[in-house]
Amino acid sequence: MRASGAFQPAANNYQGQVMLLYPAQFGKALLKLHAVTKDAKYLAQAKGIAETYLKLQGKDGTWLLKMNLKTGEKIGDNRLVPIATAIPFLNSLAVVTGDARYRAAADRAFAFI
């Protein structure tokens, strides 16, 4: 995209925003690293991401799609469709940790679907 002859990266328009599908994808990668290395720091980081998902889960069972990173305020009213992101991440973490809260959150998200 060019504006006034200068290149304007599209990413600049979304600075400070997060789409809540990405932390779950990162969490899955952390779980894979933990499985291979057995390094507890990867599991701890995945659990930290999951705890945030637990706090942010809406009454409908899913999450806002986009949020402001600093304030936590919603950006738009779109909801995350969690079938390929949050549900597999939370289910995997439930298996690894035995923590039923993650499975319950995944079940609430699945009920949204």
Side-chain angles (χ1 to χ4, degrees), residues 12-66:
N12 289 345
N13 297 330
Y14 305 103
Q15 206 165 21
Q17 299 179 20
V18 63
M19 290 183 80
L20 289 180
L21 55 111
Y22 298 121
Q25 291 174 340
F26 184 61
K28 286 278 287 182
L30 289 167
L31 290 176
K32 288 179 183 179
L33 281 169
H34 175 259
V36 171
T37 67
K38 306 301 183 209
D39 191 328
K41 72 180 176 189
Y42 298 123
L43 181 58
Q45 291 171 347
K47 287 168 67 175
I49 291 169
E51 291 300 320
T52 301
Y53 274 92
L54 294 182
K55 289 178 190 173
L56 297 175
Q57 190 170 32
K59 291 179 183 176
D60 64 357
T62 190
W63 297 265
L64 290 169
L65 179 60
K66 291 172 61 176

Side-chain angles (χ1 to χ4, degrees), residues 65-108:
L65 179 60
K66 291 172 61 176
M67 295 180 69
N68 182 298
L69 275 171
K70 288 185 180 181
T71 66
E73 293 175 3
K74 72 177 188 171
I75 298 172
D77 292 320
N78 292 336
R79 304 300 288 177
L80 173 68
V81 178
I83 203 148
T85 55
I87 292 172
F89 168 56
L90 292 168
N91 277 333
S92 295
L93 192 57
V95 169
V96 171
T97 65
D99 191 329
R101 297 175 308 135
Y102 303 134
R103 173 82 64 205
D107 289 345
R108 287 190 300 275

